[in-house]
Amino acid sequence: ILIVQEDFTSQQLLKQFLTSNGYNVDCADDGLEGIHMYKENDYDLIILGVNLPNLDGFSVCTMIRRESQIPIIFVTKANTEEDQIRGFELLCDDYITKPFSYKLLLKRVEAVLRRAKIEQKESYIEFEKIKLNLKTYSVEIDDESVYLTLKEFKILKSLIQNYML
């Protein structure tokens, strides 16, 4: 999990709580650092503040959504209806306002990760060493990216699906 929060105390409390519940957690102090860490690592979930230095949380969410469907939960003091609507319009998975219950946050994290795992299963086809991403039309063989045209991708998908029947 990547936590991108402007308030160091909140960030560390979230990290400590999630770590004590079995999650691996990294932290970023501002939006630019959050984007950099997101691009450099493979996270299952991002917990994002809104009022971040250098690049606000809404901008971070927008940038991530251009290339990924990684689950994003806003955890923030920005609790107006307009802020919450904007978060959901930017396709966040949940929006939690401070103050909040840590136990409830944990349940929401579990629910978002559970839904993401189901969606991930439905967005891939795997056959032996070949992995097709049905959302990005990308192919990996032995964890190495392979460039295919859209037509080639569709042919490979069809061959695999027919073989698996």
Side-chain angles (χ1 to χ4, degrees), residues 80-94:
T80 67
E81 183 178 349
E82 293 82 21
D83 288 329
Q84 293 177 48
I85 289 170
R86 184 170 180 201
F88 285 110
E89 286 175 344
L90 295 174
L91 305 179
C92 75
D93 295 273
D94 205 344

Side-chain angles (χ1 to χ4, degrees), residues 79-135:
N79 63 1
T80 67
E81 183 178 349
E82 293 82 21
D83 288 329
Q84 293 177 48
I85 289 170
R86 184 170 180 201
F88 285 110
E89 286 175 344
L90 295 174
L91 305 179
C92 75
D93 295 273
D94 205 344
Y95 195 107
I96 301 170
T97 58
K98 296 177 182 179
F100 58 88
S101 157
Y102 280 92
K103 289 180 183 179
L104 185 56
L105 171 73
L106 181 63
K107 292 303 174 189
R108 289 181 173 204
V109 165
E110 290 170 356
V112 166
L113 289 173
R114 187 173 50 251
R115 285 191 302 268
K117 192 171 187 175
I118 290 168
E119 283 180 20
Q120 185 177 17
K121 276 186 177 181
E122 295 171 353
S123 65
Y124 288 93
I125 295 177
E126 293 188 55
F127 176 73
E128 295 183 10
K129 297 178 181 184
I130 302 170
K131 185 175 182 179
L132 303 178
N133 183 325
L134 303 177
K135 289 186 177 181

Side-chain angles (χ1 to χ4, degrees), residues 142-157:
D142 285 332
D143 295 323
E144 295 286 328
S145 293
V146 177
Y147 174 78
L148 295 180
T149 66
L150 182 57
K151 186 174 268 188
E152 290 169 335
F153 179 88
K154 289 180 178 181
I155 291 169
L156 180 58
K157 177 184 167 197

